[in-house]
């Protein structure tokens, strides 16, 4: 099986995370509508944030300093093929909007932003209930049915381990840091209890049939975090 890359979708019950790459608009009023707003004031900052912890939706200003917005969109699309990207444009940005859409932008919205219009676009591009099937090697995760299969056989995975596996699979091919797992899976800005993540990873390996001492699927990157790979065919489905 080939590895499927998909843009991360929200792990928060309150709604998606919006990264606003715009020096002039924080859009903090969206928080009252269940949107978690994170801000980057320039292109390099936006790319760093996306690389470290991808958002659910990206809003990019046509006036973004540091990196041309079309270049930023092209760069994001190389690793996140389905991340919803909204370009904020003014009356003078018609040509740039056309190039941005050709580069992979999902939609355009008028700038200065109107909260109601932007909220409609966010919900239209971030659609729960029609989530992609995730596959990494012989592991398949059906996000709509909430089912995990290993080599075609359903495996029982408790909720927290399911959320951890889902986040790792959504970010397959890159190292996910422990801090990122704490934010996205445990939904906390602090630190989880000692060894909590380690214990859940150990249990998850057992359920996936991965070797706990010499894992080939759920790899530990010492001092940083974890990375999921296609690995070797699982030896058992676990219980």
């Amino acid at each position: 099986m080939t590895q499927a890359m998909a843009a991360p979708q929200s792990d928060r019950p309150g709604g998606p995370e919006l990264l606003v790459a715009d020096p002039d608009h924080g859009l903090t009023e969206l928080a009252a509508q269940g949107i978690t707003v994170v801000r980057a004031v320039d292109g390099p900052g936006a790319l760093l944030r996306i690389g470290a912890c991808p958002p659910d939706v990206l809003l990019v200003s046509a006036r973004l300093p540091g990196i041309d917005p079309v270049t930023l969109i092209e760069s994001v699309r190389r690793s996140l093929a389905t991340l919803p990207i909204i370009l904020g444009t003014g009356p003078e940005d018609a040509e740039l909007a056309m190039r941005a859409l050709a580069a992979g932008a999902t939609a355009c919205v008028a700038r200065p932003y109107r909260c109601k219009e932007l909220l409609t676009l966010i919900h239209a591009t971030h659609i729960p209930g029609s989530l992609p099937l995730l596959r990494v090697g012989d592991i398949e995760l059906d996000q709509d049915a909430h089912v995990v299969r290993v080599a075609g056989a359903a495996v029982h995975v408790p909720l927290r381990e399911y959320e951890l596996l889902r986040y790792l699979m959504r970010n397959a091919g890159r190292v996910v840091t422990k801090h990122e797992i704490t934010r996205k899976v445990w939904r906390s800005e602090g630190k989880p209890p000692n060894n909590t993540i380690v214990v859940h990873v150990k249990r998850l390996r057992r359920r996936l049939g991965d070797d706990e001492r010499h894992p080939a699927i759920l790899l530990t990157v010492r001092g940083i975090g974890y990375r999921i790979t296609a690995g070797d065919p699982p030896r058992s489905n676990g219980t």
Side-chain angles (χ1 to χ4, degrees):
M1 276 184 199
T2 57
Q3 178 174 298
M5 292 288 288
Q9 313 233 1
S10 180
D11 291 298
R12 300 175 179 78
E17 179 179 283
L18 173 69
L19 173 58
V20 180
D22 191 322
D24 301 322
H25 295 273
L27 292 170
T28 53
E29 65 269 27
L30 289 176
Q33 305 299 321
I35 308 296
T36 300
V37 179
V38 180
R39 189 180 175 205
V41 297
D42 57 25
L47 286 176
L48 283 173
R49 178 78 194 194
I50 293 166
C53 196
D56 299 304
V57 182
L58 172 62
L59 173 63
V60 182
S61 168
R63 304 292 99 191
L64 185 69
I67 295 177
D68 176 85
V70 175
T71 301
L72 184 142
I73 292 168
E74 290 172 340
S75 177
V76 171
R77 278 287 173 256
R78 283 194 284 270
S79 59
L80 295 170
T82 61
L83 174 68
I85 302 176
I86 302 170
L87 180 72
T89 63
E92 71 281 11
D93 296 319
E95 181 184 352
L96 188 145
M98 291 176 61
R99 290 193 292 117
L101 289 168
T106 309
C108 295
V109 67
R111 191 175 175 274
Y113 307 116
R114 293 189 291 272
C115 185
K116 185 176 180 180
E117 181 181 4
L118 190 54
L119 194 63
T120 299
L121 261 181
I122 292 169
H123 287 307
T125 55
H126 177 81
I127 306 173
S130 58
L131 303 178
L133 194 69
L134 302 178
R135 291 189 183 93
V136 177
D138 280 343
I139 303 167
E140 179 180 282
L141 190 149
D142 186 331
Q143 298 184 88
D144 288 334
H146 214 275
V147 172
V148 176
R149 295 182 179 87
V150 179
V155 177
H156 171 65
V157 180
L159 180 59
R160 184 71 78 182
E161 292 167 40
Y162 173 89
E163 291 179 344
L164 175 59
L165 176 62
R166 180 174 61 173
Y167 192 72
L168 289 166
M169 291 180 71
R170 285 172 174 173
N171 293 277
R174 75 177 184 89
V175 177
V176 175
T177 68
K178 290 182 179 179
H179 174 69
E180 188 177 339
I181 291 171
T182 301
R183 288 188 62 248
K184 290 287 191 172
V185 179
W186 267 258
R187 305 182 188 104
S188 171
E189 292 297 333
K191 293 182 178 181
N194 289 340
N195 294 325
T196 296
I197 294 176
V198 173
V199 169
H200 281 77
V201 167
K202 182 178 179 179
R203 291 173 180 169
L204 189 53
R205 282 181 178 138
R206 185 169 62 248
R207 297 180 195 280
L208 299 177
D210 201 7
D211 189 317
E212 294 180 33
R213 293 187 176 182
H214 304 285
I217 299 170
L218 212 173
L219 307 180
T220 299
V221 181
R222 191 172 298 278
I224 301 176
Y226 301 93
R227 179 167 60 90
I228 194 167
T229 71
D232 297 322
R235 289 166 290 285
S236 66
N237 292 332
T239 57

